Amino acid sequence: MWDSKTNRQKAIEIIKELLRTYSLSGLLADVSGDVYLSYFTDMDVQTRFYEEVDRRTIEGIRSGFSDYESTDVTDRSFKDVFLRTIAVRDQEGRVRAYMFLIGPDRDDSCDQATKVLKDILSMFADAGEELRRSAEKEEKEVSDSSRLARERRYYRNLSLLLGDTVTDTDKGDPVERIVKRIGTCVSFDRAMLISLRDGQIKDIKEYVSSGHDLRDRLYGLEASLLSFLDGKDYTISSDSLVSERIKGLLEKLGISAAIFCCLDKSSDGTDYLCLASLEGERIFGSDEIDFVNDAIRILKLKRRESSLSSLLRGSNDFIRTFYDSMRFAVAIFDDKTKELIYRNRACEEIFSDPINEELFRRRFVIGDSGAEAARAPKEFASAGSGDVYLVYTTIAAWQDGSTVDVYTINDITQQKQYQKRIKESADLDDLTGLYNRHRFHLDFATCIDDASVSREQGTLIFVDLDDFNALNDGLGHVLADRFLKKAAWSIQQAVKKYAQCYRLGGDQFAVLVPYSSHENLEQITADIRERFERPFSLDDNEYYCTACMGIVNFPADGDNEDLLLQRVDYALHQAKKEGKNKTEYFSHVSYKMPGDRIGLEKALREAVADDCREFVVYYQPVVEIRNGRPVCCGAEALVRWNSSKLGFMTPDKFISLAEYLGLIVPIDEHVLITATRKCRYWNDNGHPDYRINVNLSVVQLLQNDVVDVIANAIKITGINPDNLILEITEGMAINDMDHMKEVLTSIHDLGVRLALDDFGTGYSSLSRIKDFPLDEIKIDRCFVKDIDSDSFSDAFVRSVSQLADAVDMNVVVEGVERGPQKDKLLDMNISMIQGFLFDRPLTVDEFDKKYM
């Protein structure tokens, strides 16, 4: 699989090739105007484009597109340049980029390029969306990691500040050390102590500074002018809602964000701590504010300790009150005796379980005491609750001069849980909540190893929804996503007792059955099939969607991941070829080299990208028995693939894969245009009554523009609509009958005729015929095979013929190969016949030579 970046680059290369093929020029730009692709096939066109179309015009065209609207294409004609703009939307309908097609004038090549480009541009938009989401996720993880590192730094500094409150204060000014640590730890430009005396700023001590400009601006100012020096505490971020007066004053002082805290207020004056940022925006986080608030408590204590040192040394009650107000736990042990001297309330809660206290003593007090412990913070897990704490150790001097170990114990349980959730989220699918492809590969490797060691069998099941692309187009992306969630939940519920379900991407899921549950494999597959045989309910409507499964056992079918993935994918592909709701075991299918599928898919994509030139239309005559003689009255168009790499192939070799890959729509449109153009040729050259039958796939019917595509084919080929018969299968109505009826009515209103193909093999009954605007019923060959000897076949065909006569519809019978079959049909007044009895599918030259 390609990553998103490769997908986007691949899309750009394909777009460039398409432009070259259609002799068009083009620009591909995102919503901000950044250009991803600038390609001009003609220098004259490039010159005229930049002369006639300026940037303002481009901006005007782009502004005409809005998110979540239906308009995707606009055209503008200039003097010598034609400009088509295509809005590139993501899966939710938001505009992500713009494609500008540039040519000398509008012609068919521009329209054809637009249709082909839509899928490629969707691939480009989806890849861009994946890159954006990946970048956002990476940015969030980096942000979370930075925040956790920042919090650890804060607690480390608080531990050092606490050490200052119990150590000997003879060396230097402890207040200066604390203010400097606060200012540098939270990266303030200025950290100052400001004293107000007689209503003026009389003294400023600056501990963190790169200059004296702010100090000079503040010194001597009247306190009444400074609204934030009113005895209260202020925390002002760049985005804080403050009065215009305070905002203007801060701008005048050159302060972008600041914290002002009242430290001491007395009759002599008031002292404040000022922490200020001067350049750029500064928005304080909750962790920064918590750190500053705790550090200020320590600062206040130190200031009181400095002024009341003799009283404080004998006041254990004061220390206890201070530490009890802290958010984190503090424990102080004698460094020599290892006896507990003091613990605050938060620590008492942790040590309320004697086991926790004993574990803590063994791990930190006895095992890791000393200088080594002071350097290295360590984690500690509670034996009872499982809570996790981060422990910092500081060596300090106690009041009596003895050495003590001060342990700062911070609860980081939520942080650890958050880190765990981040790790788990990397393994989860955003839409369904199932484990994703990344987690699947990890678990798959483990399951293979476990099965090999145990000498038992494990199982891998690939589950792929049938015709989900059609359902997706019919429901829209929002409802389709909800459908996928329901499908994912259903699979998980079916297997959860024995196995684990994963979403690999799109509508494909994987189920890993470990060797211990291998005996329940049949029950697991039966439960999955049973769930998809019932409808899913969405917005009071019921929708059917079956699923195919491919299954491999390991190590019986292989013992390495790559080989098993190839083989389970092959088994799934074989199941899809058999029809809907099928299950295939790799051991039960005739296996070819996996490269066959890979090469087929690659060649198929290249053939479609090459404007479907390799797909050839064959014509099988439809005859009418008139006066006992067969007379050709038209033909059915049947596609064949004459691959330059793989040779000539019939539809059973590639149609199911084309539907699976979503490539059937351009193939169907190619056949429609080719066949209607040929019928127009027949009509103009002596056979005005010849009609052409063209098959419409369910995928094509569910495209939003199917009516426009058919109308365009009629317009560009000039065919008489009455000579075009579009064949649909019964299965097209199972997802949403009301919608299908509306679509078919719109098609019928164009004047074309509608035929129900393969009648009797799908989901319909005779009564459903009246629900659709049909002109013709085609009875499948399985009812004709034994019509001259089987009473059921005879009764079925006879009943359909009588019903068709009653509602004025034609009946055509397919697969007639023997004379007795023909005679039996004529006895039922059925004269429209198709089959090898009259002719096989012919090339266009063979048909013209024989029937023109």
Side-chain angles (χ1 to χ4, degrees):
M1 292 292 292
W2 292 326
D3 57 24
S4 299
K5 186 174 181 180
T6 305
N7 271 337
R8 188 167 69 174
Q9 187 59 40
K10 188 71 175 177
I12 292 175
E13 294 300 323
I14 294 174
I15 292 170
K16 187 184 294 184
E17 182 63 29
L18 284 171
L19 293 175
R20 185 182 299 112
T21 299
Y22 288 102
S23 300
L24 295 170
S25 301
L27 296 174
L28 178 61
D30 63 14
V31 291
S32 64
D34 293 337
V35 177
Y36 290 99
L37 171 65
S38 176
Y39 180 81
F40 285 89
T41 56
D42 190 320
M43 292 299 296
D44 291 338
V45 172
Q46 181 177 3
T47 302
R48 291 199 301 271
F49 173 74
Y50 285 112
E51 286 178 351
E52 298 183 24
V53 185
D54 57 21
R55 186 177 182 85
R56 182 177 298 177
T57 302
I58 292 293
E59 291 296 330
I61 293 173
R62 285 168 47 191
S63 65
F65 292 96
S66 299
D67 291 340
Y68 314 115
E69 66 175 17
S70 59
T71 303
D72 287 334
V73 179
T74 62
D75 292 340
R76 286 282 300 273
S77 294
F78 298 88
K79 182 180 179 182
D80 295 312
V81 175
F82 170 74
L83 177 65
R84 167 165 291 176
T85 308
I86 305 172
V88 185
R89 302 179 185 274
D90 62 16
Q91 295 181 353
E92 297 176 358
R94 293 171 297 192
V95 178
R96 287 300 180 198
Y98 300 89
M99 182 72 210
F100 300 95
L101 293 180
I102 306 162
D105 51 38
R106 176 175 178 173
D107 54 21
D108 290 345
S109 64
C110 187
D111 293 335
Q112 293 172 1
T114 301
K115 293 172 185 176
V116 178
L117 275 171
K118 283 189 176 180
D119 287 339
I120 306 304
L121 293 174
S122 295
M123 172 181 168
F124 174 84
D126 292 345
E129 185 69 10
E130 287 296 324
L131 286 173
R132 182 184 67 80
R133 289 178 181 172
S134 177
E136 288 178 352
K137 181 177 180 182
E138 182 177 350
E139 182 180 349
K140 184 177 185 302
E141 290 176 352
V142 171
S143 174
D144 292 337
S145 176
S146 300
R147 180 179 62 80
L148 293 174
R150 190 167 61 247
E151 288 187 355
R152 288 196 174 202
R153 186 175 76 252
Y154 291 160
Y155 288 120
R156 172 67 175 167
N157 278 274
L158 283 176
S159 178
L160 294 174
L161 292 178
L162 282 172
D164 271 338
T165 66
V166 295
T167 191
D168 193 337
T169 59
D170 291 340
K171 297 181 180 180
D173 181 0
V175 172
E176 178 180 353
R177 291 199 301 272
I178 292 173
V179 175
K180 280 186 177 180
R181 188 172 295 280
I182 295 173
T184 55
C185 183
V186 195
S187 303
F188 283 102
D189 297 319
R190 300 289 187 274
M192 303 179 293
L193 289 179
I194 298 174
S195 297
L196 292 180
R197 300 291 184 269
D198 300 326
Q200 286 187 328
I201 298 178
K202 295 293 189 179
D203 187 25
I204 301 176
K205 293 182 180 178
E206 201 162 30
Y207 297 102
V208 176
S209 173
S210 58
H212 300 284
D213 50 342
L214 180 59
R215 179 179 178 180
D216 295 341
R217 294 174 193 171
L218 288 172
Y219 190 81
L221 287 178
E222 296 287 339
S224 59
L225 299 176
L226 305 175
S227 305
F228 39 78
L229 298 183
D230 59 357
K232 301 178 182 178
D233 294 342
Y234 288 85
T235 300
I236 307 172
S237 294
S238 298
D239 63 344
S240 295
L241 298 176
V242 297
S243 66
E244 290 296 326
R245 183 184 179 197
I246 292 180
K247 183 178 179 181
L249 181 59
L250 291 177
E251 289 178 353
K252 185 176 180 181
L253 293 173
I255 297 174
S256 62
I259 295 176
F260 300 96
C261 178
C262 180
L263 299 179
D264 185 41
K265 189 174 184 180
S266 65
S267 58
D268 295 333
T270 307
D271 293 338
Y272 292 89
L273 172 66
C274 173
L275 304 169
S277 292
L278 306 183
E279 297 180 359
E281 290 190 351
R282 178 71 180 273
I283 299 174
F284 301 121
S286 59
D287 52 350
E288 292 177 303
I289 295 174
D290 288 342
F291 168 77
V292 172
N293 288 337
D294 287 340
I296 288 173
R297 288 194 187 123
I298 297 173
L299 176 61
K300 287 180 178 180
L301 174 64
K302 180 54 63 178
R303 282 169 56 85
R304 293 181 188 180
E305 180 187 23
S306 298
S307 61
L308 303 171
S309 57
S310 60
L311 179 61
L312 184 59
R313 287 183 183 275
S315 178
N316 289 328
D317 290 340
F318 182 82
I319 295 177
R320 184 176 294 108
T321 300
F322 168 72
Y323 281 121
D324 284 345
S325 69
M326 293 295 181
R327 293 179 298 113
F328 43 83
V330 176
I332 302 175
F333 287 83
D334 186 282
D335 185 53
K336 292 183 178 179
T337 66
K338 309 304 180 186
E339 294 297 323
L340 178 67
I341 297 176
Y342 170 78
R343 65 186 182 191
N344 66 354
R345 288 179 184 172
C347 187
E348 287 177 355
E349 293 181 7
I350 300 173
F351 288 172
S352 62
D353 185 345
I355 296 178
N356 279 342
E357 182 175 0
E358 183 61 26
L359 289 175
F360 184 88
R361 181 187 294 276
R362 291 181 182 180
R363 169 75 188 281
F364 296 96
V365 183
I366 298 175
D368 283 343
S369 61
E372 181 65 25
R375 290 196 300 268
K378 291 184 173 61
E379 292 183 0
F380 169 66
S382 170
S385 65
D387 292 341
V388 183
Y389 302 89
L390 189 65
V391 181
Y392 288 96
T393 307
T394 303
I395 301 174
W398 192 237
Q399 296 172 354
D400 59 1
S402 62
T403 302
V404 296
D405 297 323
V406 181
Y407 296 92
T408 308
I409 309 169
N410 178 43
D411 188 347
I412 60 170
T413 305
Q414 290 186 349
Q415 296 176 19
K416 299 295 288 185
Q417 291 173 344
Y418 184 71
Q419 288 174 324
K420 181 180 178 182
R421 287 197 298 271
I422 290 177
K423 184 178 183 300
E424 289 177 345
S425 66
D427 291 336
L428 296 180
D429 176 60
D430 292 337
L431 177 64
T432 63
L434 296 177
Y435 283 135
N436 59 17
R437 180 182 291 272
H438 172 262
R439 179 59 179 268
F440 164 74
H441 286 295
L442 295 177
D443 291 351
F444 190 26
T446 301
C447 279
I448 295 173
D449 291 341
D450 290 346
S452 177
V453 170
S454 66
R455 297 185 179 180
E456 299 287 346
Q457 292 296 315
T459 303
L460 170 62
I461 306 171
F462 268 12
V463 183
D464 191 276
L465 306 188
D466 295 326
D467 291 336
F468 181 74
N469 287 336
L471 186 66
N472 189 21
D473 292 335
L475 293 178
H477 292 303
V478 175
L479 274 180
D481 283 349
R482 286 174 54 193
F483 184 91
L484 269 180
K485 291 179 183 178
K486 285 204 169 192
W489 184 86
S490 297
I491 300 172
Q492 179 65 19
Q493 292 302 304
V495 308
K496 68 178 182 180
K497 292 182 181 179
Y498 314 109
Q500 179 61 53
C501 181
Y502 307 79
R503 185 189 180 207
L504 302 184
D507 60 333
Q508 190 172 85
F509 302 88
V511 176
L512 268 179
V513 184
Y515 72 88
S516 56
S517 299
H518 183 71
E519 61 184 17
N520 303 109
L521 179 59
E522 290 188 7
Q523 180 65 45
I524 292 171
T525 56
D527 288 346
I528 295 175
R529 275 198 306 272
E530 187 274 333
R531 177 59 191 92
F532 281 93
E533 288 171 352
R534 292 181 283 113
F536 291 83
S537 178
L538 285 176
D539 291 348
D540 298 326
N541 290 319
E542 291 188 342
Y543 300 90
Y544 286 88
C545 183
T546 54
C548 285
M549 288 181 281
I551 303 175
V552 293
N553 293 312
F554 50 87
D557 295 328
D559 58 0
N560 72 78
E561 185 175 350
D562 290 341
L563 180 62
L564 286 169
L565 289 176
Q566 288 177 353
R567 292 184 168 180
V568 73
D569 191 60
Y570 184 81
L572 177 64
H573 180 59
Q574 294 301 110
K576 301 288 275 188
K577 286 176 63 177
E578 294 297 321
K580 298 182 179 180
N581 209 26
K582 300 295 184 180
T583 301
E584 284 288 0
Y585 289 77
F586 173 79
S587 57
H588 296 172
V589 298
S590 176
Y591 182 59
K592 297 180 180 180
M593 291 298 292
D596 290 349
R597 160 68 190 274
I598 297 173
L600 179 63
E601 179 177 335
K602 183 175 184 295
L604 188 60
R605 292 185 183 278
E606 291 174 351
V608 171
D610 191 30
D611 202 23
C612 297
R613 289 185 176 91
E614 292 184 352
F615 296 99
V616 182
V617 179
Y618 274 52
Y619 301 90
Q620 184 175 28
V622 177
V623 303
E624 182 178 8
I625 307 300
R626 300 174 185 171
N627 300 321
R629 296 179 56 196
V631 177
C632 177
C633 57
E636 179 179 357
L638 301 169
V639 67
R640 303 290 188 264
W641 181 18
N642 190 15
S643 172
S644 59
K645 295 182 178 179
L646 304 176
F648 189 85
M649 280 182 280
T650 53
D652 60 299
K653 302 295 185 182
F654 66 90
I655 287 295
S656 61
L657 181 59
E659 292 176 339
Y660 177 71
L661 298 173
L663 301 175
I664 194 65
V665 173
I667 296 174
D668 280 349
E669 188 171 345
H670 168 74
V671 173
L672 176 64
I673 295 292
T674 303
T676 50
R677 181 175 283 122
K678 190 60 187 176
C679 186
R680 168 66 188 278
Y681 170 79
W682 295 335
N683 298 154
D684 291 346
N685 288 271
H687 298 280
D689 296 329
Y690 271 14
R691 288 174 173 160
I692 188 70
N693 291 49
V694 180
N695 291 280
L696 288 184
S697 68
V698 177
V699 178
Q700 189 174 17
L701 272 172
L702 289 174
Q703 301 300 307
N704 294 331
D705 62 347
V706 61
V707 179
D708 294 335
V709 168
I710 296 170
N712 182 62
I714 295 172
K715 179 180 178 181
I716 64 177
T717 61
I719 189 176
N720 179 0
D722 190 58
N723 286 343
L724 173 59
I725 303 174
L726 298 178
E727 297 187 9
I728 59 176
T729 61
E730 293 181 274
M732 59 80 194
I734 64 172
N735 291 316
D736 189 340
M737 284 192 61
D738 291 337
H739 176 68
M740 280 296 109
K741 183 177 180 180
E742 181 181 343
V743 171
L744 293 177
T745 300
S746 298
I747 294 174
H748 198 259
D749 289 343
L750 296 174
V752 303
R753 302 170 67 85
L754 293 176
L756 188 61
D757 193 18
D758 298 336
F759 184 75
T761 63
Y763 297 86
S764 297
S765 63
L766 295 174
S767 61
R768 275 199 178 176
I769 295 177
K770 63 182 179 61
D771 292 329
F772 299 103
L774 300 173
D775 302 284
E776 190 173 284
I777 298 174
K778 298 191 74 174
I779 298 177
D780 188 71
R781 66 183 66 245
C782 66
F783 296 102
V784 182
K785 180 180 179 182
D786 300 316
I787 193 171
D788 52 343
S789 59
D790 180 55
S791 58
F792 174 80
S793 297
D794 181 286
F796 178 84
V797 176
R798 193 178 300 276
S799 298
V800 174
S801 176
Q802 292 172 354
L803 176 64
D805 288 340
V807 294
D808 195 25
M809 283 192 289
N810 290 333
V811 173
V812 179
V813 178
E814 299 179 295
V816 178
E817 299 179 355
R818 296 181 287 108
Q821 295 172 329
K822 179 198 70 172
D823 296 337
K824 193 73 173 179
L825 293 172
L826 291 178
D827 289 342
M828 300 177 187
N829 294 322
I830 296 176
S831 58
M832 301 289 286
I833 298 174
Q834 184 178 342
F836 283 5
L837 177 63
F838 303 104
D839 232 328
R840 68 186 193 285
L842 305 172
T843 66
V844 62
D845 291 336
E846 290 172 336
F847 187 94
D848 287 350
K849 183 177 181 180
K850 191 170 183 179
Y851 294 102
M852 285 291 292

Coordinates of all heavy atoms in Angstrom, one line a residue, residues 517-545:
S517 N -9.1 -20.8 19.6 CA -10.5 -20.8 19.2 C -10.7 -21.4 17.8 O -11.8 -21.2 17.3 CB -11.0 -19.3 19.2 OG -10.9 -18.7 20.5
H518 N -9.8 -22.1 17.3 CA -9.9 -22.6 15.9 C -11.1 -23.5 15.8 O -11.7 -23.6 14.7 CB -8.6 -23.3 15.5 CG -8.6 -23.8 14.1 ND1 -8.6 -22.9 13.0 CD2 -8.7 -25.1 13.6 CE1 -8.6 -23.7 11.9 NE2 -8.7 -24.9 12.2
E519 N -11.4 -24.2 16.8 CA -12.6 -25.2 16.7 C -13.9 -24.5 16.5 O -14.9 -25.1 16.2 CB -12.6 -26.0 18.0 CG -12.8 -25.2 19.3 CD -12.8 -26.0 20.5 OE1 -12.3 -27.2 20.5 OE2 -13.2 -25.6 21.6
N520 N -13.9 -23.2 16.8 CA -15.2 -22.4 16.6 C -15.2 -21.7 15.3 O -16.1 -20.8 15.1 CB -15.3 -21.3 17.8 CG -15.2 -21.9 19.1 OD1 -14.2 -21.8 19.9 ND2 -16.3 -22.7 19.5
L521 N -14.3 -22.0 14.3 CA -14.3 -21.3 13.1 C -15.6 -21.3 12.3 O -16.1 -20.3 11.8 CB -13.1 -21.8 12.2 CG -12.9 -21.2 10.8 CD1 -12.7 -19.7 11.0 CD2 -11.8 -21.9 10.1
E522 N -16.2 -22.5 12.2 CA -17.5 -22.6 11.4 C -18.5 -21.7 12.1 O -19.3 -21.1 11.4 CB -17.9 -24.1 11.4 CG -17.0 -24.9 10.5 CD -17.6 -26.3 10.3 OE1 -18.8 -26.5 10.7 OE2 -16.9 -27.2 9.7
Q523 N -18.6 -21.7 13.4 CA -19.6 -20.9 14.1 C -19.3 -19.4 13.8 O -20.3 -18.6 13.6 CB -19.5 -21.1 15.6 CG -20.6 -20.3 16.4 CD -22.0 -20.7 16.1 OE1 -22.3 -21.9 16.0 NE2 -22.8 -19.7 15.9
I524 N -18.1 -19.0 13.8 CA -17.7 -17.6 13.5 C -18.2 -17.2 12.1 O -18.8 -16.1 12.0 CB -16.2 -17.4 13.7 CG1 -15.8 -17.5 15.2 CG2 -15.8 -16.0 13.2 CD1 -14.3 -17.5 15.4
T525 N -17.8 -17.9 11.1 CA -18.2 -17.6 9.7 C -19.7 -17.6 9.5 O -20.3 -16.8 8.8 CB -17.5 -18.5 8.7 OG1 -17.8 -19.9 9.0 CG2 -16.0 -18.3 8.8
A526 N -20.4 -18.6 10.2 CA -21.8 -18.7 10.1 C -22.5 -17.5 10.7 O -23.5 -16.9 10.1 CB -22.3 -19.9 10.7
D527 N -22.0 -17.0 11.8 CA -22.6 -15.8 12.5 C -22.4 -14.6 11.6 O -23.3 -13.7 11.6 CB -21.9 -15.6 13.9 CG -22.4 -16.7 14.9 OD1 -23.4 -17.4 14.6 OD2 -21.7 -16.8 15.9
I528 N -21.2 -14.4 11.0 CA -21.0 -13.3 10.2 C -21.9 -13.3 9.0 O -22.6 -12.3 8.6 CB -19.5 -13.2 9.7 CG1 -18.6 -13.0 10.9 CG2 -19.3 -12.1 8.7 CD1 -17.1 -13.1 10.5
R529 N -22.1 -14.4 8.3 CA -22.9 -14.6 7.1 C -24.4 -14.3 7.5 O -25.1 -13.5 6.8 CB -22.9 -16.0 6.5 CG -21.7 -16.2 5.5 CD -22.0 -17.4 4.7 NE -22.2 -18.6 5.5 CZ -21.2 -19.4 5.9 NH1 -20.0 -19.1 5.6 NH2 -21.5 -20.4 6.7
E530 N -24.8 -14.8 8.7 CA -26.2 -14.7 9.1 C -26.5 -13.2 9.3 O -27.6 -12.7 9.0 CB -26.4 -15.5 10.4 CG -27.9 -15.5 10.8 CD -28.2 -14.3 11.7 OE1 -27.3 -13.7 12.3 OE2 -29.4 -14.0 11.7
R531 N -25.5 -12.4 9.9 CA -25.8 -11.0 10.1 C -26.0 -10.2 8.9 O -26.9 -9.4 8.8 CB -24.7 -10.4 11.0 CG -24.9 -8.9 11.2 CD -26.2 -8.6 12.0 NE -26.5 -7.2 12.0 CZ -27.3 -6.6 11.2 NH1 -27.8 -7.2 10.1 NH2 -27.6 -5.3 11.3
F532 N -25.2 -10.6 7.8 CA -25.3 -9.8 6.6 C -26.4 -10.3 5.7 O -26.6 -9.7 4.6 CB -23.9 -9.8 5.9 CG -22.9 -8.9 6.4 CD1 -22.0 -9.3 7.4 CD2 -22.9 -7.6 6.1 CE1 -21.1 -8.4 8.0 CE2 -22.0 -6.7 6.6 CZ -21.1 -7.1 7.6
E533 N -27.1 -11.3 6.1 CA -28.3 -11.7 5.3 C -29.5 -10.9 5.7 O -30.5 -11.0 5.1 CB -28.5 -13.2 5.5 CG -27.5 -14.1 4.8 CD -27.6 -15.5 5.1 OE1 -28.4 -15.8 6.1 OE2 -26.9 -16.4 4.5
R534 N -29.4 -10.2 6.9 CA -30.5 -9.4 7.3 C -30.2 -7.9 7.0 O -29.1 -7.5 6.9 CB -30.6 -9.5 8.9 CG -31.1 -10.9 9.3 CD -31.3 -11.0 10.8 NE -30.0 -11.2 11.5 CZ -29.5 -10.3 12.3 NH1 -30.2 -9.1 12.5 NH2 -28.4 -10.5 12.9
P535 N -31.3 -7.1 6.9 CA -31.1 -5.7 6.5 C -30.5 -4.9 7.7 O -30.6 -5.2 8.9 CB -32.5 -5.2 6.2 CG -33.4 -6.1 7.0 CD -32.7 -7.4 7.0
F536 N -29.8 -3.7 7.3 CA -29.4 -2.8 8.3 C -30.3 -1.6 8.3 O -30.8 -1.1 7.2 CB -28.0 -2.3 8.0 CG -26.9 -3.3 8.1 CD1 -26.7 -4.3 7.2 CD2 -26.1 -3.4 9.3 CE1 -25.7 -5.2 7.3 CE2 -25.2 -4.4 9.5 CZ -24.9 -5.3 8.5
S537 N -30.6 -1.1 9.5 CA -31.6 0.0 9.6 C -30.9 1.4 9.8 O -30.0 1.5 10.7 CB -32.5 -0.2 10.8 OG -33.4 0.9 10.9
L538 N -31.2 2.3 8.9 CA -30.6 3.7 9.0 C -31.7 4.7 8.7 O -32.3 4.6 7.6 CB -29.5 3.9 7.9 CG -28.1 3.2 8.2 CD1 -27.2 3.5 7.0 CD2 -27.5 3.8 9.5
D539 N -32.0 5.6 9.6 CA -33.0 6.6 9.5 C -34.3 6.0 9.0 O -34.9 6.5 8.0 CB -32.5 7.7 8.5 CG -31.4 8.5 9.0 OD1 -31.1 8.4 10.3 OD2 -30.7 9.2 8.3
D540 N -34.8 5.0 9.7 CA -36.1 4.4 9.4 C -36.1 3.7 8.0 O -37.2 3.3 7.6 CB -37.2 5.4 9.5 CG -37.3 6.0 10.9 OD1 -37.0 5.2 11.9 OD2 -37.6 7.2 11.0
N541 N -35.0 3.5 7.4 CA -35.0 2.8 6.1 C -34.1 1.6 6.3 O -33.2 1.5 7.1 CB -34.4 3.6 5.0 CG -35.3 4.8 4.5 OD1 -36.5 4.6 4.5 ND2 -34.8 5.9 4.3
E542 N -34.4 0.5 5.5 CA -33.6 -0.7 5.6 C -32.8 -0.9 4.4 O -33.3 -0.7 3.3 CB -34.5 -1.9 5.8 CG -35.2 -1.9 7.2 CD -36.0 -3.2 7.5 OE1 -36.2 -3.9 6.5 OE2 -36.3 -3.5 8.7
Y543 N -31.5 -1.3 4.6 CA -30.6 -1.4 3.4 C -29.9 -2.8 3.6 O -29.5 -3.2 4.6 CB -29.5 -0.3 3.5 CG -30.1 1.1 3.4 CD1 -30.4 1.8 4.5 CD2 -30.3 1.6 2.1 CE1 -30.9 3.1 4.4 CE2 -30.8 2.9 2.0 CZ -31.1 3.6 3.2 OH -31.6 4.9 3.1
Y544 N -29.8 -3.5 2.4 CA -29.2 -4.8 2.4 C -27.8 -4.6 1.9 O -27.5 -3.8 0.9 CB -29.9 -5.7 1.4 CG -31.2 -6.3 2.0 CD1 -32.4 -5.6 1.9 CD2 -31.2 -7.5 2.7 CE1 -33.6 -6.1 2.4 CE2 -32.4 -8.0 3.2 CZ -33.6 -7.3 3.1 OH -34.7 -7.8 3.6
C545 N -26.8 -5.3 2.5 CA -25.5 -5.3 2.0 C -24.8 -6.6 2.5 O -24.6 -6.8 3.7 CB -24.7 -4.1 2.5 SG -23.0 -4.0 1.8

